[in-house]
Amino acid sequence: MRSAYAVNPLLRWFHQLGSPPYFHAFATRWMPWFGFAALLLTAIGLYLGFVVAPADYLQGESYRIIFIHVPSAWMSMFIYALMALNGAIALIWRIKLSEILFLSCAPIGAMFTAVTLITGMLWGKPTWGTYWEWDARLTSELALLFLYFGVIGLASAYEDARQGARAAAVLALVGVVNLPIIHFSVIWWNTLHQGDTVKLIGKSSIHPSMLWPLLILATAAKLYFVFALLLRARGTLLEQERAKHWVRDAIGERG
Amino acid sequence: MLDWLEMQGHWGYITTALIVTALLIAADLIPPWLRERRLRAQIRARMRREQG
């Protein structure tokens, strides 16, 4: 009887990816492609969003901040979900690579959350007349930033790094409850923040000339995330496995 | 500083948003890149010492 790995190549690939030498080779091979694609799509998206797209009839030019703000906001939640998933895998199955990916997600997610909050403030002033309001969407996004800081802080607070990672994973899993709060806050409460403009199901209330740059920049943000995640994870892996033969072989080969 | 920003109009907010984003991306990328460079140099130096 053939094993599941022989039947399903995707499953086999996932299994192989858990091996540090394989992951190192994969990251080294694909990182430049992800980085280049992210850079190219960012350039195209910024040109379409900041030069080609027309000004909004109500908000004028300042609405263009959505081309940075919205992809960052999506990424801040997506990365948290992925971080918590890796944290759960690391907690349950003690897979080293999942632990590394979990810890590598946190600073990138914190960066996207900070971009979301700052660009939101810069959009809020000309649109609402204020940089900040303690409404449900803004407050729950700020809570997300504190959760990322909590995960980073807790992971480095223990002398035993693996014990720190496990404590941080528990915090990350508890914090998942904040994700639906962020997403549905504009529906559940009467907030200053506008409702969803781009919808996965149903018609989006945004003109295609504005939607396309937004989607291109959202794809660029995803590709950037993969690039940054591979960079961080590869560095941590090399640090942890520096005494192993495969590290010497890999560095000896590639310099 | 905020008064100055508000005097720049809509493009002032847009430019500030772009600059802050670029700075945060640089702060996200540069430290792990430098750390890996330093680590690779250390591993290569140790390999040379052991061979020599």
Side-chain angles (χ1 to χ4, degrees):
Chain A
M1 205 176 93
R2 293 168 76 192
S3 74
Y5 295 132
V7 174
N8 190 337
L10 193 67
L11 199 66
R12 188 172 65 233
W13 178 72
F14 266 115
H15 182 73
Q16 282 174 335
L17 210 57
S19 144
Y22 188 89
F23 179 84
H24 181 271
F26 173 84
T28 306
R29 182 172 180 191
W30 288 102
M31 257 175 58
W33 293 100
F34 282 111
F36 176 73
L39 212 59
L40 185 69
L41 287 185
T42 302
I44 296 169
L46 287 179
Y47 174 72
L48 291 177
F50 288 84
V51 180
V52 176
D56 185 69
Y57 78 101
L58 202 61
Q59 297 181 24
E61 301 287 353
S62 65
Y63 92 94
R64 293 182 200 278
I65 293 175
I66 66 161
F67 297 122
I68 312 167
H69 175 75
V70 174
S72 300
W74 288 343
M75 288 310 294
S76 69
M77 290 195 288
F78 169 76
I79 295 172
Y80 195 91
L82 195 73
M83 179 180 81
L85 179 70
N86 272 296
I89 293 171
L91 266 180
I92 299 164
W93 289 291
R94 306 272 168 105
I95 297 174
K96 196 185 204 174
L97 196 69
S98 290
E99 196 177 292
I100 290 172
L101 289 174
F102 158 68
L103 292 173
S104 301
C105 279
I108 312 169
M111 185 278 287
F112 274 112
T113 312
V115 169
T116 305
L117 288 167
I118 295 169
T119 55
M121 288 163 79
L122 290 166
W123 185 21
K125 181 63 183 170
T127 311
W128 306 329
T130 180
Y131 288 105
W132 186 263
E133 190 66 44
W134 291 100
D135 88 343
R137 174 58 71 86
L138 276 66
T139 309
S140 53
E141 188 70 21
L142 183 65
L144 187 72
L145 183 66
F146 291 149
L147 278 166
Y148 276 123
F149 287 161
V151 167
I152 297 166
L154 201 55
S156 54
Y158 285 77
E159 262 185 53
D160 178 2
R162 298 208 77 173
Q163 202 181 351
R166 280 196 291 276
V170 173
L171 174 65
L173 284 171
V174 172
V176 168
V177 75
N178 192 36
L179 295 183
I181 295 176
I182 297 172
H183 183 72
F184 293 109
S185 57
V186 288
I187 299 166
W188 290 343
W189 293 284
N190 186 21
T191 61
L192 188 60
H193 195 284
Q194 67 189 63
D196 291 338
T197 312
V198 181
K199 294 183 180 76
L200 276 177
I201 302 162
K203 200 172 186 306
S204 299
S205 57
I206 182 171
H207 193 266
S209 63
M210 299 168 182
L211 179 63
W212 277 108
L214 192 64
L215 295 178
I216 290 170
L217 284 167
T219 311
K222 285 259 188 323
L223 292 168
Y224 168 80
F225 165 65
V226 177
F227 171 76
L229 182 68
L230 291 177
L231 176 70
R232 281 184 181 274
R234 190 177 69 174
T236 309
L237 199 64
L238 283 179
E239 199 158 30
Q240 289 184 2
E241 305 254 313
R242 60 200 301 172
K244 301 267 174 74
H245 278 295
W246 75 262
V247 171
R248 289 153 178 258
D249 293 343
I251 288 180
E253 276 170 21
R254 293 187 178 272
Chain B
M1 204 174 91
L2 288 179
D3 289 342
W4 176 85
L5 176 64
E6 284 157 24
M7 279 168 61
Q8 307 307 308
H10 285 195
W11 281 101
Y13 293 110
I14 295 168
T15 312
T16 309
L18 285 169
I19 292 169
V20 169
T21 305
L23 288 175
L24 285 171
I25 288 173
D28 181 45
L29 277 186
I30 294 170
W33 178 69
L34 287 177
R35 183 186 69 154
E36 192 181 322
R37 238 174 73 121
R38 198 176 54 238
L39 193 64
R40 280 176 185 273
Q42 283 172 2
I43 294 169
R44 271 198 302 272
R46 202 173 58 193
M47 282 164 69
R48 273 198 300 272
R49 269 201 311 274
E50 285 172 6
Q51 280 165 3

